[in-house]
């Protein structure tokens, strides 16, 4: 069977077819122009400008019509950024590409005009599953950290992060996460297969994370925030370490929080949990309810892999946590489609998984959203334990080409048009067949995202108070309506 690659189209080409704020923002009287950008299944539309519409006076909407109601006078959390993880796997794959494809990749993700404008990123402390090998920055039994050395990262990952920073205009908000302490610090003497941090090494491990942050910053990579442990409830065949909610609470308040403060790093955003939505409320609330731990904690991070149980995505967990702790922040820290198959790179469901998650996550109060690997190879790796996954962009290292899955385009409908500093506003669909969210950007433009995951074309009215316009949503499509 001949494989068909998705070729990215020029973005913008024209086709003919945190807690609720009490501050209100008045609707600008001159706001009437609506530019529509569409990505749709079985078409050539990929982040493509399709038409320009006008908001005009309309009759009051009726229940027999489908409408998307937008209210810019009610504002909610502020967008920090959208991006993906800069892993060993992404870095190694990037440097297997020819120079022109490296440039194309950086433009595609990080250029604000010709790409989708990523501004947020994650990387790992020591190795993770998406590394070619398992490694530590210190020698065995070096509790004093005298042998601390990040030379492993100098070959691929650090140059890659710096290339990303430059492509993004000099700044990307980067947070860091450990998958495991060094083996000798753990109860199972193994960086993989779970195990726990030995109590006698809690201070050493906190100091280790401080040392990593300071070393990376000395190398010219500012660190915006950190999580204490990736997926603390999972025993994995790759790098992993177990913390109960109570153990992470005590580690934060007794060791990591004070260590950050002592080192002058108290302004770093400390994000607890960093695991799946289904356990988010219980785990994070255990930490937030402890005043001595909570004072160090900026928010909670979560992943979307709760679906491994056969259940759906648990967006209610986010809503309940946000309701209970409106002064803490929610961050989507990781997600990808698992079980890579090259035959599925054109599967439309890949992007729809992203669109569904992002709309619901933002509507639940999430302030930043981080995809997993920004780039993987034609096998869904490299990965030293064989759990290969999808990324928005894959490099076919056999011929030096880039393959853009529709994950890339779906994410772009958010990251390109919702700017850092934007305030989420009300966007509500009158039918559950349409998913929607909206943001008021710092420049006054409004980005309304509407996703249609059905097999049918849906005609609807975009309504702002007493003004509106008719819009058509194509089957299995996502569109951004930029209102100015």
């Amino acid at each position: 069977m001949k494989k068909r690659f998705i070729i990215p189209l020029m973005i913008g080409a024209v086709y003919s077819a945190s807690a609720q704020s009490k501050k209100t923002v008045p609707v600008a009287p001159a706001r009437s122009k609506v530019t529509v950008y569409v990505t749709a299944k079985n078409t050539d539309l990929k982040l493509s400008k399709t038409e320009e519409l006008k908001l005009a006076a309309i009759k009051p909407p009726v229940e027999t019509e489908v409408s998307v109601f937008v209210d810019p006078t009610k504002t909610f959390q502020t967008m920090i950024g959208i991006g993906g993880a800069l892993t060993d796997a992404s870095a190694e794959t990037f440097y297997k590409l020819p120079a022109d494809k490296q440039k194309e990749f950086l433009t595609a993700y990080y250029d604000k005009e010709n790409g989708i404008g990523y501004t947020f990123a994650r990387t790992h402390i020591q190795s993770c599953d998406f590394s070619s090998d398992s490694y530590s920055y210190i020698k065995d039994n070096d509790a004093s950290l005298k042998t601390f050395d990040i030379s492993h990262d100098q070959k691929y990952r650090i140059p890659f992060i710096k290339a990303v920073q430059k492509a993004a205009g000099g700044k990307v908000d980067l947070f860091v996460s450990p998958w495991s302490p060094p083996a000798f610090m753990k109860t199972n003497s193994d960086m993989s297969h779970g195990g726990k941090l030995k109590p006698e090494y809690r201070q050493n491990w906190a100091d280790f994370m401080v040392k990593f942050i300071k070393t990376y910053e000395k190398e010219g990579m500012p660190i915006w925030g950190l999580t204490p442990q990736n997926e603390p409830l999972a025993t994995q065949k790759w790098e992993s370490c177990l913390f109960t909610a109570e153990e992470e609470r005590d580690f934060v308040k007794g060791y990591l929080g004070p260590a950050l403060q002592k080192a002058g790093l108290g302004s770093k955003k400390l994000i607890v949990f960093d695991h799946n939505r289904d356990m988010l409320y219980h785990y994070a609330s255990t930490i937030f309810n402890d005043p001595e731990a909570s004072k160090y904690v900026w928010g909670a991070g979560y992943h979307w892999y709760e679906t491994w149980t056969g259940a759906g995505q648990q967006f209610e967990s986010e809503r309940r946590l946000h309701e209970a702790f409106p002064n803490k922040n929610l961050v989507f820290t990781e997600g990808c489609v698992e079980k890579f198959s090259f035959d599925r790179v054109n599967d439309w469901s890949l992007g729809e998984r992203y669109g569904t998650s992002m709309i619901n996550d933002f509507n639940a109060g999430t302030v930043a959203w981080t995809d997993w690997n920004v780039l993987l190879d034609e096998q869904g790796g490299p990965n030293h334990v064989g759990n290969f996954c999808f990324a928005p962009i894959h490099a076919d290292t056999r011929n030096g080409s880039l393959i853009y899955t529709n994950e890339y385009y779906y994410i772009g409908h958010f990251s390109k048009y919702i700017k850092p500093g934007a305030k989420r506003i009300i966007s509500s669909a009158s039918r559950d067949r349409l998913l929607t969210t909206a943001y008021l950007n710092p420049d006054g433009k409004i980005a309304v995202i509407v996703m249609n995951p059905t097999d049918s074309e849906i005609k609807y009215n975009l309504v702002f108070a007493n003004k509106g316009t008719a819009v058509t949503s194509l089957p299995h499509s996502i569109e951004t309506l930029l209102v100015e």
Side-chain angles (χ1 to χ4, degrees), residues 32-175:
S32 61
K33 178 183 175 183
V34 181
T35 307
V36 184
Y37 300 89
V38 178
T39 296
K41 186 178 182 179
N42 297 326
T43 72
D44 290 329
L45 302 175
K46 295 179 177 66
L47 278 170
S48 304
K49 179 180 174 182
T50 57
E51 57 185 336
E52 291 185 356
L53 304 172
K54 291 289 185 182
L55 290 177
I58 58 170
K59 296 179 180 179
V62 296
E63 63 182 3
T64 55
E65 300 172 328
V66 181
S67 297
V68 172
F69 303 107
V70 181
D71 183 357
T73 70
K74 304 297 187 292
T75 61
F76 302 88
Q77 80 272 17
T78 301
M79 173 65 74
I80 291 175
I82 298 170
L86 311 177
T87 61
D88 283 335
S90 294
E92 290 171 29
T93 302
F94 176 80
Y95 287 108
K96 292 177 182 177
L97 288 168
D100 62 328
K101 291 300 179 181
Q102 291 179 4
K103 183 178 179 180
E104 178 187 324
F105 167 87
L106 292 170
T107 299
Y109 269 127
Y110 298 100
D111 191 289
K112 294 174 177 60
E113 298 299 325
N114 299 311
I116 62 173
Y118 270 13
T119 59
F120 202 63
R122 181 193 196 197
T123 198
H124 45 95
I125 300 174
Q126 305 201 113
S127 59
C128 70
D129 48 329
F130 278 90
S131 301
S132 290
D133 58 341
S134 186
Y135 61 88
S136 176
Y137 297 131
I138 60 174
K139 293 182 179 179
D140 199 29
N141 297 315
D142 177 21
S144 64
L145 313 183
K146 291 180 180 178
T147 60
F148 189 91
D149 182 7
I150 60 165
S151 59
H152 179 282
D153 298 0
Q154 296 282 8
K155 186 174 182 181
Y156 295 119
R157 185 150 48 112
I158 288 175
F160 179 58
I161 293 172
K162 290 183 176 180
V164 163
Q165 288 176 322
K166 183 178 179 181
K171 180 179 181 294
V172 172
D173 287 330
L174 178 66
F175 73 98

Side-chain angles (χ1 to χ4, degrees), residues 200-214:
E200 62 266 31
Y201 288 118
R202 286 179 295 191
Q203 187 63 59
N204 308 81
W205 182 225
D207 292 341
F208 187 107
M209 283 190 261
V210 166
K211 197 170 189 68
F212 174 85
I213 291 171
K214 287 197 162 187

Side-chain angles (χ1 to χ4, degrees), residues 384-402:
H384 71 88
V385 288
N387 61 317
F388 302 119
C389 297
F390 284 91
I393 302 178
H394 284 268
D396 190 334
T397 61
R398 298 167 297 187
N399 56 30
S401 65
L402 292 174

